[in-house]
Amino acid sequence: MMETEKKTMTLYLVVPCYNEEAVLPETAKQLGAKFAHLIRDGRISRESRITFVNDGSKDGTWALISQLCSGKGARLFCGIDLAHNAGHQAAVLAGLMTVKDRCDAAITMDADLQDDVDAIDQMVDAYYAGNQVVYGVRSSRKTDSWFKRHTAESFYKFMKLMGTEVVYNHADFRLMSRRVLDELSRFPESNLFLRGMIPMIGFQSTNVYYERHERFAGESKYPLRKMLHFAAEGITSFSVKPLKIITNLGFLMVAVSIIMFLWAFFTKFTGHSEQGWSSTVCSIWLIGGIQTLCLGIIGEYIGKIYAEVKRRPRYIVAEFLHDEEQDPEA
Ligand code: UDP
Ligand code: MG
């Protein structure tokens, strides 16, 4: 491991693009300049590349990417064309899995220049300092609208409450080492939520703080509808807490029914009760409680089935210290 850290790293950038013809020329220009600079300074190797993943765009995005890969400075660029629109997370994963065997580390970033191009330098430094994952974290949300800021911040808080571990204010701008990408390839799930999966893998990580800019051109491909869907995806792909809430609710309702029973007896014997009222109310609570509890118990099993079908790795070995001579294969 020490050897890879000493030699100049090969860095791949993975940039998902969906209908991004308005920003792509500028993005390519800025990223190209950044890479040329890093290569000149000997920070990254000459084999490093900027990879654009065309996520089934309906505009001229792929034509632009093809041009970049054949025109002047083509050596810096490569392109992956997905057969249909697979969605942001799938496009990012497609890019990472395609390039993983060619690089020492990969950085994923959006095509619209909202992620700070200069933060790449700090990510590279953090990689040389021994980090396997470097999270790009927004230092403020000044450029966001009031609505976007509040929905986004509540999103992180709600995720935590629901049992999904995510890095606060980190989206999908991050560096991952080859090692992490290899481990990521062992997660065969199709409901993707990369910001939950990467922290789950583990390894030494750090944060790099950056100011997020306005979208350079074009419009957001994440309307509120998609954002809500994404939040639901994050919770249901990572946590069975909602199912546990049902079980707890069931227990609570049974407890309430017991209190209702005691109260019904009390009122009956003190002579204040209506004919038939106590038995009706107590039955409603008890039956409701038992039903909710049963749903919760079924839910617990469904949660287990869900965890099994995902076939995630059960553990990830970070290091194995052993005596070479005892190794049968050595
Ligand atoms: N994107 C994609 N496939 C999609 C939607 C978005 O590859 O189906 C890409 C898009 O081109 C951009 C990134 O994902 O590079 C983030 O999208 P966007 O900037 O529209 O989201 P926002 O920043 O508004 O949340
Ligand atoms: Mg954006």
Side-chain angles (χ1 to χ4, degrees):
M1 213 166 77
M2 289 306 284
E3 277 165 30
T4 43
E5 277 165 20
K6 271 183 209 152
K7 83 172 203 314
T8 309
M9 75 188 286
T10 298
L11 177 68
Y12 266 66
L13 210 59
V14 171
V15 185
C17 308
Y18 178 58
N19 296 344
E20 298 287 12
E21 64 179 5
V23 288
L24 214 54
E26 179 64 23
T27 308
K29 196 173 122 203
Q30 290 197 19
L31 292 177
K34 173 60 65 189
F35 260 52
H37 201 258
L38 285 167
I39 292 172
R40 215 176 318 119
D41 290 352
R43 307 287 298 144
I44 61 174
S45 79
R46 306 193 78 79
E47 285 69 47
S48 301
R49 295 285 180 277
I50 299 157
T51 314
F52 291 108
V53 184
N54 176 37
D55 186 17
S57 301
K58 293 178 184 70
D59 64 358
T61 299
W62 180 241
L64 278 173
I65 296 172
S66 319
Q67 248 175 42
L68 283 170
C69 297
S70 58
K72 188 169 155 279
R75 211 182 47 77
L76 275 180
F77 299 103
C78 41
I80 298 168
D81 189 25
L82 298 186
H84 66 106
N85 179 238
H88 172 232
Q89 299 285 296
V92 169
L93 190 69
L96 290 174
M97 292 303 115
T98 309
V99 304
K100 88 176 166 60
D101 295 332
R102 298 165 181 260
C103 63
D104 296 312
I107 295 179
T108 53
M109 78 187 291
D110 289 353
D112 55 7
L113 295 173
Q114 283 195 283
D115 301 327
D116 187 9
V117 176
D118 292 325
I120 294 175
D121 300 63
Q122 297 168 53
M123 287 185 168
V124 168
D125 288 345
Y127 171 82
Y128 282 117
N131 292 290
Q132 305 279 332
V133 183
V134 187
Y135 298 104
V137 175
R138 311 180 53 161
S139 51
S140 76
R141 285 190 170 264
K142 270 187 278 181
T143 53
D144 276 353
S145 67
W146 184 91
F147 182 73
K148 178 105 188 183
R149 184 162 70 235
H150 282 80
T151 45
E153 282 179 353
S154 329
F155 164 80
Y156 291 102
K157 286 184 187 139
F158 188 62
M159 294 296 280
K160 203 166 182 126
L161 197 72
M162 282 292 144
T164 303
E165 276 305 322
V166 285
V167 177
Y168 192 70
N169 266 344
H170 157 73
D172 282 302
F173 183 28
R174 77 175 82 76
L175 176 144
M176 287 151 285
S177 70
R178 165 85 172 266
R179 183 89 194 271
V180 170
L181 296 176
D182 281 336
E183 297 299 348
L184 183 63
S185 70
R186 294 175 58 211
F187 285 66
E189 61 206 72
S190 43
N191 293 300
L192 294 172
F193 189 70
L194 290 166
R195 359 180 155 174
M197 291 159 79
I198 306 295
M200 188 176 245
I201 292 174
F203 292 116
Q204 187 180 326
S205 69
T206 188
N207 296 347
V208 155
Y209 295 89
Y210 72 101
E211 196 83 44
R212 195 165 156 100
H213 311 294
E214 304 257 17
R215 185 175 241 287
F216 182 77
E219 56 191 39
S220 172
K221 314 304 183 280
Y222 263 102
L224 183 65
R225 180 180 51 83
K226 266 201 200 169
M227 258 172 56
L228 289 176
H229 175 80
F230 190 54
E233 183 87 2
I235 293 164
T236 51
S237 298
F238 278 85
S239 166
V240 287
K241 213 161 175 179
L243 297 173
K244 295 216 184 306
I245 292 174
I246 299 176
T247 318
N248 291 340
L249 194 67
F251 276 120
L252 187 73
M253 284 170 76
V254 171
V256 170
S257 82
I258 293 169
I259 294 167
M260 294 292 273
F261 262 114
L262 294 176
W263 188 41
F265 272 112
F266 176 75
T267 48
K268 190 165 181 68
F269 290 115
T270 50
H272 301 299
S273 86
E274 293 287 337
Q275 187 71 36
W277 175 83
S278 331
S279 53
T280 314
V281 163
C282 291
S283 319
I284 290 173
W285 276 95
L286 188 64
I287 293 170
I290 289 173
Q291 280 181 340
T292 314
L293 194 59
C294 291
L295 276 179
I297 292 170
I298 294 171
E300 299 279 331
Y301 283 96
I302 293 178
K304 296 235 150 71
I305 296 169
Y306 185 51
E308 292 288 346
V309 297
K310 275 202 285 246
R311 305 198 66 78
R312 280 179 182 157
R314 278 163 292 186
Y315 50 82
I316 289 165
V317 177
E319 219 162 332
F320 176 33
L321 291 178
H322 65 298
D323 177 3
E324 293 289 335
E325 277 169 28
Q326 282 176 16
D327 188 347
E329 281 173 33

